């Protein structure tokens, strides 16, 4: 089957004039959706700091069992539980000094806008005063009460924090695979054996619907697109440039919602497993003879001309979902704050998302501090590392070289300003990993029962270096964020364990032993 173009150009709307963003000025916008499906009691008459428990909790306390009627699905049930609240969020220009920001520029989340008037990044700003009407204990209990349920949409680790993510979206518009709630794995053997650490944890964000943390952001972005399309906004499809994980998540969530997806991939630079995900999920795939940065440039140009919604993390909606992984970590530690969180960085949206999640928890009283963040880069694609080492002098993009951590082979990250902000405000550090270091770290981790991706190998290398230099202490509670599933990157493991990598000793390779189908030959191998 050959792919056909998605668009008949005669059907396309005329390009919008450059100032189509229609920024609002002065004052808050009123929420378009007043009714959401929160099962908690958030009606406008109930703004005390001792709010009612989530719906269902009272019945449970009385020992009554509530069962959904057979002819009702979980979306319909969510509708029945509909209540009002006054939470809202909007786009504002991202500012590296929010306290000094004087701009009155803002946009409704129902607008299609990715950049501020000055061309800078945007950020999703929540009405913190409204959220602060409930205390930290309230939010902790609410989030805890939603874990592990099938209640729509709270069975998702992202949407269990809906009030902090997209408070105004109708639950019926949400496109979710009940993503999130990923395993926080106690890396007991790896920690003790290789690092002398007892309190080392790996947040397995790759144990997820499409095998990477991108699901967390994509459920939010595609849900909002679903809403925009119901509002008859001009969104024909959703597009991204990708090193393989964003495209997998985009194609899956779009396929679930029946929305066309378009992905720009750097030819021969993503893994076969990643490529087949987008193909199987029906995306319109362009394999382009350039690198990720080249694809990113092209998708930005295309989305400014065609009614294709941009799904990369330049779009700040994505980060609202990704930040929930940070909240989950706190929740999994029973709201105790780890000392360190280490995140591999490429386009650099995720490091900011983690910062934002932790910071919101601090500002809303769920915890009293935030962890120190470490961003880890491959030495072959290390623009943030070089920027950090220069003392945050002028940022210079690089031409990213080939790396086994192919999903972070990015030289001109769109979220550089967000990343610098996150690191400066968390007393953060940037580290790098050579190819040999990251592959050895991956093999060592796998030898203790994990099956991690090379990007997680980059993060583990950062940890190993910071432990060796004494920056991270033996008793520090440390979380390494594993960003994708190892099964997406098996070729790198095959190369390593076959010792087929040029100029690499592959010290921890464990190649299979070839033996004749003969009892004596097998015994010889086993006994020697
Ligand atoms: C597996 C994996 N790890 C880490 C990253 C880096 O995330 P970010 O681009 O948000 O820095 C990406 C994508 O860039 C990825 O796909
Ligand atoms: N690793 C990413 C690169 C793009 O990052 P994004 O977060 O801006 O979409 C990918 O998998 O494509």
């Amino acid at each position: 089957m050959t792919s056909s173009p998605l668009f008949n150009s005669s059907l396309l709307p005329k390009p919008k004039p450059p100032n189509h963003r229609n920024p609002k000025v002065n004052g808050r916008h009123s929420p378009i959706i007043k009714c959401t499906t929160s099962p908690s009691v958030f009606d406008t008459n109930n703004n005390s700091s001792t709010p009612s428990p989530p719906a269902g909790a009272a019945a449970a306390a009385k020992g009554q069992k509530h069962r959904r009627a057979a002819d009702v699905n979980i979306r319909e049930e969510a509708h029945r539980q509909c209540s009002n609240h006054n939470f809202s969020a909007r786009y504002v220009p991202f500012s590296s000094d929010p306290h000094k920001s004087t701009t009155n520029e803002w946009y409704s989340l129902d607008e299609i806008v990715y950049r501020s008037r000055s061309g800078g990044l945007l950020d999703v700003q929540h009405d913190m005063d409204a959220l602060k009407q409930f205390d930290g204990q309230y939010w902790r209990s609410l989030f805890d009460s939603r874990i592990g349920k099938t209640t729509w949409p709270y069975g998702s680790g992202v949407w269990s924090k809906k009030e902090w993510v997209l408070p105004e979206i109708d639950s019926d518009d949400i496109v979710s695979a009940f993503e999130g709630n990923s395993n926080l794995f106690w890396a007991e053997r790896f920690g003790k054996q290789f690092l002398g650490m007892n309190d080392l944890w790996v947040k397995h964000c790759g144990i997820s619907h499409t095998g990477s943390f991108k699901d967390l952001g994509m459920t939010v972005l595609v849900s909002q697109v679903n809403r925009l399309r119901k509002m008859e906004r001009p969104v024909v499809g959703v597009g991204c440039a990708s090193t393989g994980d964003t495209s997998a998540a985009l194609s899956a969530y779009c396929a679930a919602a029946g929305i066309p997806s378009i992905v720009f991939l750097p030819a021969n630079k993503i893994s076969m497993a990643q490529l087949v995900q987008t193909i199987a999920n029906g995306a319109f795939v362009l394999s382009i003879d350039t690198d990720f940065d080249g694809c990113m440039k092209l998708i930005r140009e295309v989305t400014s001309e065609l009614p294709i919604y941009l799904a990369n993390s330049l779009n700040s909606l994505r980060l609202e979902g990704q930040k929930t992984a940070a909240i989950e970590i706190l929740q999994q530690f029973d709201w105790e704050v780890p000392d360190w969180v280490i995140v591999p960085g490429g386009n650099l949206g995720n490091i900011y998302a983690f910062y934002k999640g932790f910071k919101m928890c601090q500002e809303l009283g769920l915890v009293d501090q935030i962890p120190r963040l470490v961003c880890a880069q491959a030495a072959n694609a290390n623009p943030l590392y070089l920027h950090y080492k220069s003392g945050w002098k002028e940022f210079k993009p690089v031409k990213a070289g080939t790396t086994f951590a192919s999903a972070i082979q990015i030289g001109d990250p769109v979220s550089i300003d967000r990343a610098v902000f996150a690191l400066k405000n968390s007393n953060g550090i940037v580290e790098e990993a050579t190819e040999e270091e990251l592959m050895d770290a991956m093999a060592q981790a796998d030898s203790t029962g994990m099956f991690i991706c090379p990007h997680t190998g980059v993060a583990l290398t950062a940890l190993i270096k910071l432990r060796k230099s004494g920056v991270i202490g033996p008793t520090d509670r440390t979380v390494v964020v594993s960003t994708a599933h190892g099964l997406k990157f098996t070729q790198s493991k095959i190369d390593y364990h076959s010792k087929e990598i040029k100029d690499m000793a592959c010290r921890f390779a464990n190649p299979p032993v070839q033996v004749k189908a003969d009892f004596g030959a097998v015994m010889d191998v086993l006994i020697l």
Side-chain angles (χ1 to χ4, degrees):
M1 196 178 83
T2 53
S3 302
S4 58
L6 275 180
F7 301 103
N8 175 338
S9 59
S10 64
L11 298 177
L12 292 176
K14 296 213 169 57
K16 292 181 183 125
N19 63 348
H20 70 274
R21 286 179 189 149
N22 183 27
K24 311 278 191 317
V25 287
N26 298 331
R28 288 165 37 83
H29 63 293
S30 50
I32 291 183
I33 295 215
K34 291 244 186 324
C35 179
T36 71
T37 56
S38 168
S40 54
V41 182
F42 277 132
D43 66 51
T44 42
N45 300 323
N46 184 27
N47 284 340
S48 77
S49 59
T50 50
S52 310
K62 284 188 207 150
Q64 298 163 354
K65 281 230 163 76
H66 159 79
R67 177 148 186 193
R68 192 174 61 245
D71 59 344
V72 173
N73 67 38
I74 55 176
R75 279 185 194 276
E76 288 162 345
E77 170 146 296
H79 259 307
R80 280 214 319 268
Q81 307 245 4
C82 184
S83 63
N84 291 324
H85 63 62
N86 58 355
F87 304 131
S88 64
R90 59 189 187 170
Y91 296 121
V92 296
F94 171 78
S95 166
S96 52
D97 192 350
H99 300 297
K100 284 202 188 136
S101 171
T102 53
T103 178
N104 54 11
E105 177 186 354
W106 61 268
Y107 308 89
S108 157
L109 298 188
D110 293 330
E111 287 188 58
I112 298 172
V113 52
Y114 317 115
R115 287 272 182 192
S116 70
R117 263 181 303 207
S118 67
L121 293 163
L122 293 176
D123 199 24
V124 173
Q125 181 188 63
H126 288 265
D127 180 349
M128 295 297 277
D129 290 339
L131 293 171
K132 277 180 186 162
Q133 287 174 359
F134 297 84
D135 63 15
Q137 179 53 43
Y138 176 76
W139 289 115
R140 287 195 298 258
S141 305
L142 180 69
F143 295 160
D144 287 347
S145 76
R146 290 172 174 169
I147 289 181
K149 305 283 165 58
T150 54
T151 315
W152 186 264
Y154 307 118
S156 155
V158 172
W159 296 107
S160 63
K161 282 98 187 164
K162 180 175 183 287
E163 294 82 358
W164 293 22
V165 174
L166 279 191
E168 293 163 79
I169 196 166
D170 191 307
S171 289
D172 201 35
D173 293 340
I174 288 174
V175 183
S176 169
F178 278 8
E179 51 291 304
N181 290 329
S182 60
N183 181 16
L184 183 59
F185 172 92
W186 181 32
E188 182 182 12
R189 223 186 116 212
F190 185 86
K192 285 183 183 158
Q193 188 167 325
F194 299 116
L195 297 160
M197 292 178 88
N198 198 28
D199 210 357
L200 174 64
W201 301 77
V202 177
K203 175 69 174 163
H204 277 298
C205 293
I207 301 179
S208 176
H209 184 56
T210 70
S212 87
F213 73 95
K214 305 288 179 176
D215 293 342
L216 305 175
M218 212 52 82
T219 181
V220 175
L221 184 133
V222 174
S223 298
Q224 179 64 14
V225 169
N226 200 28
R227 168 176 159 93
L228 294 175
R229 280 165 61 97
K230 286 188 186 174
M231 296 165 86
E232 302 195 349
R233 293 297 167 94
V235 182
V236 175
V238 191
C240 72
S242 184
T243 52
D245 291 326
T246 297
S247 49
L250 176 66
S251 57
Y253 283 85
C254 280
I259 299 171
S261 60
I262 304 100
V263 307
F264 289 8
L265 302 177
N268 305 318
K269 290 191 175 66
I270 73 167
S271 77
M272 197 52 78
Q274 290 173 311
L275 176 61
V276 82
Q277 288 184 286
T278 51
I279 290 171
N281 284 142
F284 189 74
V285 179
L286 302 193
S287 175
I288 307 179
D289 187 19
T290 180
D291 56 9
F292 170 80
D293 298 302
C295 289
M296 190 71 224
K297 184 169 174 289
L298 284 167
I299 195 75
R300 282 169 70 169
E301 286 165 3
V302 167
T303 50
S304 67
E305 289 295 323
L306 296 177
I308 298 175
Y309 193 78
L310 180 67
N312 283 103
S313 58
L314 175 67
N315 186 326
S316 43
L317 276 182
R318 280 262 312 278
L319 306 182
E320 290 308 292
Q322 289 173 212
K323 80 182 179 196
T324 62
I327 307 170
E328 254 178 48
I329 289 173
L330 298 175
Q331 195 169 15
Q332 286 166 310
F333 283 132
D334 213 4
W335 305 103
E336 283 177 12
V337 183
D339 299 301
W340 298 92
V341 174
I342 307 178
V343 186
N347 222 9
L348 300 182
N350 211 26
I351 185 78
Y352 177 68
F354 270 89
Y355 170 78
K356 194 170 181 185
F358 287 128
K359 197 69 196 166
M360 268 185 97
C361 286
Q362 186 189 27
E363 283 181 8
L364 291 168
L366 286 75
V367 294
D368 57 7
Q369 56 182 322
I370 67 168
R372 289 184 71 181
L373 296 181
V374 178
C375 190
Q377 292 212 294
N380 287 354
N382 63 353
L384 180 73
Y385 177 76
L386 296 177
H387 190 32
Y388 170 75
K389 281 288 172 190
S390 76
W392 301 124
K393 302 240 169 61
E394 200 191 344
F395 173 73
K396 288 196 198 81
V398 301
K399 174 84 187 153
T402 305
T403 168
F404 281 105
S406 53
I408 53 174
Q409 191 176 323
I410 297 172
D412 191 6
V414 299
S415 285
I416 181 68
D417 294 346
R418 291 172 174 146
V420 172
F421 179 80
L423 289 159
K424 283 185 180 169
N425 287 281
S426 62
N427 194 13
I429 293 176
V430 187
E431 257 301 348
E432 66 170 0
T434 66
E435 292 302 289
E436 181 146 24
E437 287 169 338
L438 74 91
M439 292 298 278
D440 281 350
M442 178 172 78
Q444 286 176 292
D446 287 357
S447 76
T448 65
M450 290 184 254
F451 196 73
I452 60 166
C453 68
H455 321 84
T456 309
V458 172
L460 286 174
T461 302
L463 169 62
I464 292 167
K465 289 182 170 177
L466 293 169
R467 261 302 287 128
K468 271 193 188 143
S469 63
V471 174
I472 295 185
T475 56
D476 288 357
R477 178 173 288 178
T478 304
V479 179
V480 170
V481 176
S482 177
T483 44
H485 202 295
L487 284 171
K488 287 181 147 198
F489 300 92
T490 47
Q491 191 57 50
S492 64
K493 293 177 190 284
I494 292 167
D495 293 348
Y496 185 91
H497 289 288
S498 329
K499 297 195 170 203
E500 272 175 8
I501 305 173
K502 196 165 167 282
D503 299 330
M504 198 180 283
C506 302
R507 286 186 296 147
F508 306 102
N510 179 30
V513 180
Q514 305 288 335
V515 199
K516 274 202 294 189
D518 170 80
F519 177 72
V522 170
M523 288 299 278
D524 284 351
V525 168
L526 291 179
I527 291 168
L528 287 177

